[in-house]
């Protein structure tokens, strides 16, 4: 630690795994590879009032005196996160008793509550012979869990409703236009003896088959887009769960929106069918 009076700066080493496990944003540049390179948090630069870019030289007293180091990376974090990142070799050389910290991420625990996850990690620490006083939890990680609050879910629900209504409007318009265009065909069916209910069942069956054939295509395209955009956050269990929900929602949407076009087909009378055929 470097004491600057009103605040302290941690001199530490880390790797790319730590950036992911600690939920840090992607570093601008890279982590140091030689002892004359450093990476710095944006919070430290802001506190010092320094305008530094990657490749610039900065003077730091990491080993007692002031030495010049090349800035190879800037970690865009704030909230008083004052840190200077160096190589593991630099830490071993400069610190008599370096403190080692291991980060872990428990896979397959997304369904656990905050307390349930903490208890699971405590049990792991006990198995590994780690004292509980040496176990700390990531406040940032659990703040992400807290985002699943009522307000957060309400926003998601609002977006789902808007998207569903938009889809319903498009589907209704397509089915309505399709039914109007097929009035001639429905009229011919009425002329040869088909009842209105039979015509209505034909319309519903056609649109149901269309939904069954196209909904899976949309789901596959959406899953592929999600994996391409956020590969690290892609979870097969969550994807399948949401996929089933979306498929059921879209199928229900189709069934509701075809009711009006189906009623129009039901109302086609044999007399109207003759007129349509003559036209």
């Amino acid at each position: 630690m470097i004491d600057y009076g009103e605040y302290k700066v941690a001199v530490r080493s880390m790797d790319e795994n730590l950036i992911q496990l600690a939920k840090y944003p992607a570093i601008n540049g890279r982590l140091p590879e030689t002892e004359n390179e450093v990476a710095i948090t944006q919070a430290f630069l802001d506190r010092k009032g320094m305008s530094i870019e990657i490749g610039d030289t900065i003077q730091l007293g990491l080993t007692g005196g002031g030495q010049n180091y090349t800035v190879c990376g800037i970690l865009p974090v704030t909230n008083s996160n004052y840190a200077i990142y160096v190589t593991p070799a630099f830490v071993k050389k400069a610190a008599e008793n370096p403190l080692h910290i291991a980060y872990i991420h428990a896979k397959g625990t997304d369904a656990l509550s905050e307390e349930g996850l903490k208890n699971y990690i405590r049990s792991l620490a006990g198995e590994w012979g780690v004292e509980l006083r040496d176990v700390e939890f990531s406040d940032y990680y659990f703040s992400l869990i807290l985002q699943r609050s009522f307000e957060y879910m309400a926003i998601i629900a609002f977006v789902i409703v808007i998207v569903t209504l938009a889809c319903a409007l498009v589907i209704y318009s397509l089915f309505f236009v399709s039914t109007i265009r097929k009035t001639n065909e429905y009229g011919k069916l009425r002329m040869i003896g088909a009842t209105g209910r039979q015509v209505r069942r034909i319309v519903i069956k056609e649109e149901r088959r269309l939904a069954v054939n196209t909904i899976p295509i949309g789901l596959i395209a959406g899953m592929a887009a999600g994996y391409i955009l956020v590969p690290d956050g892609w979870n097969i269990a969550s994807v399948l769960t949401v996929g089933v929900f979306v498929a059921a929602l879209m199928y229900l949407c189709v069934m509701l929106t075809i009711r009006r076009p189906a009623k129009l087909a039901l109302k086609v009378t044999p007399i109207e069918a003759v007129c349509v055929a003559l036209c």
Side-chain angles (χ1 to χ4, degrees), residues 192-235:
I192 62 176
T195 64
R197 291 185 179 276
Q198 288 175 328
V199 173
R200 181 175 180 271
R201 285 200 296 268
I202 291 174
V203 175
I204 293 177
K205 187 175 182 180
E206 287 179 348
E207 309 306 349
R208 182 186 292 127
R209 181 178 299 174
L210 180 63
V212 171
N213 292 337
T214 56
I215 288 177
I217 298 175
L219 289 176
I220 293 173
M223 293 176 184
Y227 180 78
I228 293 173
L229 294 174
V230 191
D232 292 338
W234 205 86
N235 181 275

Side-chain angles (χ1 to χ4, degrees), residues 164-179:
T164 303
L165 290 177
C167 291
L169 180 61
V170 172
I171 294 171
Y172 174 79
S173 301
L174 292 175
F175 288 167
F176 186 84
V177 173
S178 176
T179 303

Side-chain angles (χ1 to χ4, degrees), residues 57 64 71 84 99 132 139 155 161 165 210 214 230 250 262:
T57 300
V71 177
I84 300 172
L99 175 66
L132 292 182
D139 293 334
I155 295 174
V161 170
L165 290 177
L210 180 63
T214 56
V230 191
M250 288 296 99

Side-chain angles (χ1 to χ4, degrees), residues 21 104-112 117 120-121 124 141 235:
L21 291 176
I104 67 166
H105 176 261
K107 292 185 176 181
T109 57
D110 293 339
L112 294 180
L117 179 56
Y120 176 70
I121 294 176
L124 291 178
Y141 178 84
N235 181 275

Side-chain angles (χ1 to χ4, degrees), residues 106 109-124 132 135 137-139 141-143 145-146 148:
T109 57
D110 293 339
L112 294 180
S113 64
E114 177 178 348
E115 193 58 35
L117 179 56
K118 288 182 177 180
N119 289 334
Y120 176 70
I121 294 176
R122 291 188 185 102
S123 67
L124 291 178
L132 292 182
V135 176
F137 301 99
S138 171
D139 293 334
Y141 178 84
F142 287 106
S143 69
I145 297 180
L146 291 178
R148 302 171 187 173

